Amino acid sequence: DKEGLTPIGKTTLFEDLKDIEYRVYNAEIEKYFGHHKKIVYYRYADPDFSINKQPLSENEANQIKSAIQILSRFKGMPQFEWVNELVPILETRLNLKSQGHNIISFDTNEDYQGKEHISVFFNAILYKRVLKISYQNFKSEFPIDYVFHPYHLKQYNSRWFVFGHNPQVNYPVQNLALDRIVAIEEITDAYVSNPIDWDDYFSDIIGVTKTNAELTEIKILIKDHEQASYIKTKPIHQSQKIIKKTNCKNIFFILFLVILFFLSQLKNME
């Protein structure tokens, strides 16, 4: 306390010593007394011991190897350039041998046109920047310029979309496909925020387009038993429930969604 340090209680001290000696580091601790035998000192029995020199346990090494394998799948993706440098450093410093081959894969497309825009939108959302976007959809002969306030990035069906506010349209949120963006430029306009809960926003739709339509009850009859098994284990949507099974192994599913595009063909199929 006289040295300006925060004092701790005896219980905390003894518990910490147990961690060092038995529970975590297995360090040998020895006790000795001062000249007047009123002050007790604790020290490592081995003067060269340091908790910073402790080797990784087998379990710790395996956990880090697993993490490195997952991180390696992000190599080459925008916003993850640091992975290219980090992974070799971790393997070298921690003496972890690389597997030499991938043991986990994600559904990514390294040739996807538009992936170079992910980091631009990521930073614009993070730092609340307004962008001028040159956008050309598949039906347009020439690109159109938008002022865009980006809010959220989402991947769906192997394509990336950005959601945000476009002052030129009369609805609060517009989504743009990154592969249709020709150019992006940051501008100095004041950023317009939106407190949307994006988990809630996507909770009643499949895909990326949302309208003001009300939730609709959709009933689906699956007569193919094998197909029904796939839909049971990989639900079409989080609202999906089984409402009836027949002796012929037919299964009725029910969903509550806003009707969009292909879902209109499924409505009330009984």
Side-chain angles (χ1 to χ4, degrees), residues 22 31 48 63 76 92 124 159 167 192 223 231-232 245 252 266:
Y22 305 113
K31 178 173 67 174
D48 294 327
Q63 289 178 341
T92 302
R159 296 181 76 196
V192 178
K223 295 183 178 181
I231 295 178
K232 283 169 60 180
K245 295 182 180 179
F252 280 96
L266 302 177

Side-chain angles (χ1 to χ4, degrees), residues 9-239:
K10 287 184 178 180
T11 301
T12 301
L13 172 63
F14 291 137
E15 289 299 313
D16 288 346
L17 287 173
K18 288 180 182 178
D19 283 341
I20 294 172
E21 193 167 10
Y22 305 113
R23 299 169 183 161
V24 181
Y25 299 107
N26 296 317
E28 185 178 351
I29 302 292
E30 63 181 21
K31 178 173 67 174
Y32 67 97
F33 294 93
H35 294 295
H36 302 291
K37 295 189 177 181
K38 292 183 178 180
I39 301 177
V40 180
Y41 296 90
Y42 295 88
R43 65 186 177 192
Y44 296 130
D46 179 1
D48 294 327
F49 179 87
S50 170
I51 59 175
N52 294 322
K53 297 179 181 178
Q54 283 291 93
L56 291 173
S57 68
E58 182 178 355
N59 183 52
E60 290 170 333
N62 288 335
Q63 289 178 341
I64 293 176
K65 286 180 182 177
S66 298
I68 288 175
Q69 279 285 328
I70 294 174
L71 282 173
S72 296
R73 300 304 304 145
F74 292 93
K75 285 183 178 179
M77 288 189 66
Q79 201 63 30
F80 290 98
E81 293 88 349
W82 51 270
V83 171
N84 298 331
E85 299 178 5
L86 177 63
V87 169
I89 291 173
L90 285 175
E91 291 177 340
T92 302
R93 296 284 180 84
L94 300 177
N95 196 27
L96 299 173
K97 292 183 179 179
S98 176
Q99 292 286 342
H101 62 279
N102 291 327
I103 59 174
I104 183 171
S105 295
F106 295 99
D107 188 13
T108 59
N109 184 353
E110 294 184 2
D111 298 320
Y112 174 68
Q113 182 177 335
K115 72 173 186 177
E116 68 273 14
H117 302 316
I118 295 174
S119 59
V120 178
F121 282 114
F122 182 92
N123 287 317
I125 295 169
L126 183 63
Y127 298 111
K128 302 184 185 301
R129 300 288 189 261
V130 182
L131 303 173
K132 180 181 178 182
I133 297 173
S134 183
Y135 188 82
Q136 184 177 5
N137 63 35
F138 290 115
K139 298 178 181 179
S140 300
E141 186 176 355
F142 302 102
I144 300 173
D145 289 342
Y146 294 129
V147 171
F148 199 73
H149 304 247
Y151 298 146
H152 187 75
L153 282 163
K154 180 179 176 65
Q155 186 184 37
Y156 175 73
N157 200 23
S158 299
R159 296 181 76 196
W160 280 94
F161 298 84
V162 61
F163 296 75
H165 172 57
N166 178 357
Q168 296 172 239
V169 299
N170 60 359
Y171 39 91
V173 175
Q174 180 183 28
N175 73 70
L176 303 174
L178 267 61
D179 53 77
R180 305 314 308 151
I181 293 174
V182 178
I184 306 175
E185 176 187 352
E186 185 176 319
I187 58 178
T188 58
D189 290 22
Y191 184 85
V192 178
S193 297
N194 193 318
I196 289 177
D197 182 328
W198 292 100
D199 289 332
D200 181 64
Y201 183 88
F202 295 114
S203 66
D204 54 11
I205 63 172
I206 295 175
V208 295
T209 303
K210 186 164 186 173
T211 69
N212 293 325
E214 295 184 355
L215 285 177
T216 302
E217 179 184 284
I218 304 170
K219 294 180 181 178
I220 305 173
L221 171 61
I222 306 295
K223 295 183 178 181
D224 185 293
H225 178 66
E226 184 176 350
Q227 186 180 35
S229 298
Y230 280 111
I231 295 178
K232 283 169 60 180
T233 56
K234 186 179 183 296
I236 297 173
H237 185 261
Q238 62 189 34
S239 65

